[in-house]
Amino acid sequence: MLGPILLSATLIAMPQGRGHGKHGHDGPPGHARGGDGVPPGLAKKGGMPPGLAKKFGARLPERPYIAVDPRYTDRAWFLIDGRWELQKGFSVGVQAEVRDVLRMPAAPPPVPLPRVGVDLHVALFN
């Protein structure tokens, strides 16, 4: 009777191992980390959200500006080659990114904004 109790107490008190080290990082398998510690596919802190970055096209401008109509989260204006271009029909994920843009501090636009009957919220991503 005393044997199983002592065995249980011994197993509980033993330090737990860290596995065999097959994965080469501290996270679980499937969660590989790059040198910056940000999971692949997610925006780096302070950077452009990936869904909005894709709306600029193949090349992200050096100073990416986005103008958002506070009434709509399914569209935004992007400053591309000195012109504001409207993109519409955003997915739910990109709409969440647009809502985050509305919480960012406003930035003065380098070129006049399109006239849409409401003040657009302009954000600059560094």
Side-chain angles (χ1 to χ4, degrees), residues 21-66:
K22 294 181 194 177
H23 306 293
H25 58 83
D26 292 334
H31 290 259
R33 296 180 352 176
D36 57 7
V38 177
L42 294 181
K44 293 170 179 50
K45 188 170 184 170
M48 169 77 62
L52 290 174
K54 290 177 186 174
K55 301 296 181 186
F56 275 100
R59 186 181 56 86
L60 192 64
E62 184 178 319
R63 296 178 52 91
Y65 284 89
I66 296 177

Side-chain angles (χ1 to χ4, degrees), residues 2-15:
L2 189 58
I5 293 173
L6 284 176
L7 180 62
S8 296
T10 304
L11 289 174
I12 291 172
M14 288 179 58

Side-chain angles (χ1 to χ4, degrees), residues 94-117:
V94 177
Q95 288 184 38
E97 293 175 359
V98 169
R99 284 190 293 274
D100 290 340
V101 167
L102 287 169
R103 286 179 260 195
M104 292 178 62
V111 297
L113 290 167
R115 295 178 189 243
V116 294

Side-chain angles (χ1 to χ4, degrees), residues 65-68 84 101-102 104-110 113 119-124:
Y65 284 89
I66 296 177
V68 177
W84 290 104
V101 167
L102 287 169
M104 292 178 62
L113 290 167
D119 289 335
L120 297 175
H121 180 84
V122 179
L124 169 63

